[in-house]
């Protein structure tokens, strides 16, 4: 089962800057060989369910290891059985609809 | 690693009523022996990370098997290394603060 | 337009305990006269869209006023045009499905 | 109060393709003059709290007007009192951390 995920991880008790922790998570996704894309409020990731979930667990473990005693993540998980679709397909699909109806 | 999770699963392409699908997910959590509590916009679940994640995957599989071709879930995941805490502890803690400061 | 909302507010830079901040948000909902229900990973709130949104803004303002320099909330918003439904109706509907199919 | 928001809106009861509805939301943000960026699992939006919230309400109204009887959105809301920051600043900050620690 393929999954499209969006991970927004919040380290708690470490101050108001998250960038070092988010950078560590980017490295986790890279090391896992998962297609991923950072945005301003999270990271899109796609791949096999178990591989994506293993990476999300590794993100929590990495951020705890960096000193965060508490973490709260919001994860969106999209699965579908009707057809294969990449993260980029979803963006292209919306943009195509926009160009068909410019006003 | 223990986790507090909150799962809000939305079956897509099956109509506007979700209750049969959510009931199937409740059964998944029961069968997994995980402490869980339904609320009006999701289900709180607690347990070992891998057991909770296996149950969330089983929810997606069960809902697809019921005919939903697409699913989008929002999952919150809370982990902490400083101390053990149950779901009920969190509610009690807020209620205690409320009773200390009734106005 | 009526809305079912679920607010999970995370104060950042204030330490690992949230209960005082969440208690302040409970008071905001009470003062606004909105039907609400605390659970272990957020609070369900229902009411007119503008009233619920005003309360969520007031929660952010209250928590900033208590000293949190940064806040990240996850809010779920459910609207429907087909019929009226309360938060409790949603829970009852799932529980009815469960009792119809006990196994 | 400025807010960084991330909106993931799911039209329910309309089939498994969302792109026309998401395109309509993009138009709402454009018409509102709000800085926004589509990604594969939502849209980042930034601006004054009331303007962003008015746009999110307009998205729900537009999608209902297109025929969706039910909608469930997940919205992330980030506010901070310590300093001004754009959506792009957040991405740059993570990327800078990544380039400092390439391995």
């Amino acid at each position: 089962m393929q999954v499209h995920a969006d991970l927004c991880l919040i380290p708690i008790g470490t101050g108001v800057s998250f960038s070092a922790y988010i950078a560590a998570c980017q490295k986790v996704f890279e090391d896992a060989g998962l297609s991923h894309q950072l945005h301003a409020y999270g990271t899109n990731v796609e791949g096999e369910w178990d591989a994506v979930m293993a990476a999300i667990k590794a993100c929590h473990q990495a951020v705890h290891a960096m000193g965060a005693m508490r973490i709260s993540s919001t994860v969106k998980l999209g699965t579908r059985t009707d057809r294969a679709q990449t993260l980029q397909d979803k963006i292209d699909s919306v943009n195509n609809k926009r160009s068909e109806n410019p006003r």
Side-chain angles (χ1 to χ4, degrees), chain A:
Chain A
M1 186 164 58
Q2 291 280 311
V3 67
H4 286 184
D6 183 71
L7 171 66
C8 173
L9 181 154
I10 298 184
I12 297 163
T14 60
V16 295
S17 177
F18 298 164
S19 51
Y21 304 94
I22 305 308
C25 294
Q26 300 305 107
K27 190 172 169 328
V28 167
F29 294 128
E30 277 176 39
D31 289 353
L34 291 166
S35 169
H36 61 104
Q37 180 62 50
L38 177 71
H39 61 82
Y41 221 133
T43 302
N44 293 157
V45 194
E46 64 186 322
E48 261 299 312
W49 180 286
D50 291 345
V52 171
M53 291 306 169
I56 291 173
K57 183 180 181 181
C59 288
H60 271 244
Q61 290 171 325
V63 172
H64 280 311
M66 292 171 75
M69 286 189 299
R70 190 173 180 180
I71 299 171
S72 185
S73 290
T74 301
V75 183
K76 284 177 269 189
L77 298 171
T79 55
R80 60 194 309 172
T81 57
D82 55 338
R83 65 184 182 95
Q85 184 188 42
T86 66
L87 292 170
Q88 190 59 45
D89 289 338
K90 293 168 79 173
I91 293 176
D92 293 345
S93 181
V94 175
N95 287 337
N96 290 343
K97 280 289 190 306
R98 284 295 286 135
S99 56
E100 286 167 21
N101 301 286
R103 256 246 53 88

